[in-house]
Every structure is written in structure tokens, then in C-alpha cells.
Amino acid sequence: MNALVTISRELSDRVDDLRFPSVPFVYNPLEYARAPHEAYLERWGRKTPREVLMVGMNPGPFGMAQTGVPFGDVAMVRDFLGIEGPVGKPPHEHPRRPIAGFECHRSEVSGTRFWGWARDRFGTAERFFERVFVANWCPLVFMEESGRNRPPDKLPAAERSPLFASCDDALARVAETLRPSLVVGVGRFAEQRARETLGNAFEIGCILHPSPASPAANNWAVVVDEQLRALGFEA
């Protein structure tokens, strides 16, 4: 079995044992979207060492929550990454955030920006993954009663601590497996977790998150090109 699949399954089991009483809805796409998630790991996660490991925070409701792939906008995952597969349902589903898998018709802006940049700069998924791999630090989606996302760092300390320990451990194992020359946090939170987890074992940097909530991300591809060049990486 692919080492990344082993890490993913063990992380999924660990976070499934945790309880989050402060949030009414918690989705784990490593379970209900396991087929496309593991297809992504098997197809694109085998090459080592890797030049760059990019790390996101956690799934978006119309991205990885639907497809099991980081920044996993449906069209990008299917058409650019060549990944598709059956997707089930979380045990407790928010009525305003249903899981439709690859039948989801809403796009994930962060995903279209991220994978659109990869496509435009590298041309093919094969060329991108020859040099880069993309993982999320946390596999879980946390939702308020309203359907609004709650970021992992906004959980109460008692819930946050065991979650962070599990996700940090998995990130360390992914980095040890891929042996990247550079680890890049997609956003400041992911960079912080990488620095606290990996210490001085890897060179670590940060790029702007492609979230539409950030006005700076409106020109995301150009900004990220400049940030990556400053880190010594050029597409």
C-alpha cells in the first residue's frame, strides 16, 4: 500500500475518535470520499523525493468536502487531475451543506484558482506532480448551525489540542515520506503548523491563500508566482 494511503487511513481513524461538542456538524471526507481521495494519493503521491510539498489548512465545503482532494473543485479534480470516484455521505449532514460528490454543481473558488494556476503554469498534472505534491493539514470540515465554516484554530482548546496533535503527526509523516526540499504553507495558519511540526528539518515558506475572502487574492496567480520565486521555486 502507498505510504500516504496508510498515513491517511490512520489519521482518519484518529480524528474519528475525537469529539467536538462545540460544533454541530463535522465531516470527514477521508471516510465518505475515500475512493477519490485514495485515487489521488495513489496516482499523484508515489514519487519521492518531491521538490515542494504544499500544505493547505482543511477542506472547503465545495472542494475537498465533495471530492476528497485538497482544493478539490469538482471540475478541476475531474478534468485536470483525472480523478473521479464514488462519494458517500457523512453520518450527520447539514441540510444547507449537502454532499453531492462529483454531482456538486457549485465551484470552489480557492480550488479553481489553485489548480487553474497549476494547469496554466505547468500545462499538465503530470508535470506539476513531478515537482509538487499538495496535502491538507486537517482532514475535517467543521460547520456551525448556520452552515458557516469554523476554522480548526477557532475550536475550544480542549477540542483543538488532540486534533492538532493528530494532524501535526500526520504532516510530519507525509513530509518524511516525500522528503521535499521545500514545504510551503498555503496561508499563514498552514505555515505555522508546518513550522511548529517540522522545526528545522525542512525549509519552510508561505504563499497567499487563494480564498475569495481575501481581496489580495484577486490577482492570486501573479502574487503566488512572485512569492514562490522568492522561495527559490519557479514553475
Side-chain angles (χ1 to χ4, degrees), residues 18-63:
L18 303 178
R19 294 296 174 263
F20 302 95
S22 72
V23 282
F25 298 90
V26 180
Y27 292 6
N28 181 4
L30 301 192
E31 286 296 322
Y32 65 80
R34 175 173 283 184
H37 171 71
E38 293 190 356
Y40 169 75
L41 299 180
E42 290 282 5
R43 181 168 183 179
W44 301 119
R46 288 190 170 273
K47 181 183 180 297
T48 59
R50 202 69 61 109
E51 194 171 341
V52 176
L53 170 61
M54 291 187 174
V55 182
M57 181 169 63
N58 73 315
F62 306 109

Side-chain angles (χ1 to χ4, degrees), residues 50-104:
R50 202 69 61 109
E51 194 171 341
V52 176
L53 170 61
M54 291 187 174
V55 182
M57 181 169 63
N58 73 315
F62 306 109
M64 186 173 176
Q66 303 291 339
T67 64
V69 174
F71 298 98
D73 173 78
V74 169
M76 286 294 181
V77 171
R78 183 184 56 232
D79 301 336
F80 179 60
L81 302 185
I83 300 294
E84 196 166 7
V87 175
K89 294 274 192 179
H92 188 42
E93 188 176 49
H94 195 296
R96 293 178 59 188
R97 293 289 183 265
I99 296 301
F102 286 82
E103 299 303 314
C104 177

Side-chain angles (χ1 to χ4, degrees), residues 11-22:
L11 174 61
S12 182
D13 289 343
R14 286 182 68 175
V15 297
D16 267 351
D17 287 339
L18 303 178
R19 294 296 174 263
F20 302 95
S22 72

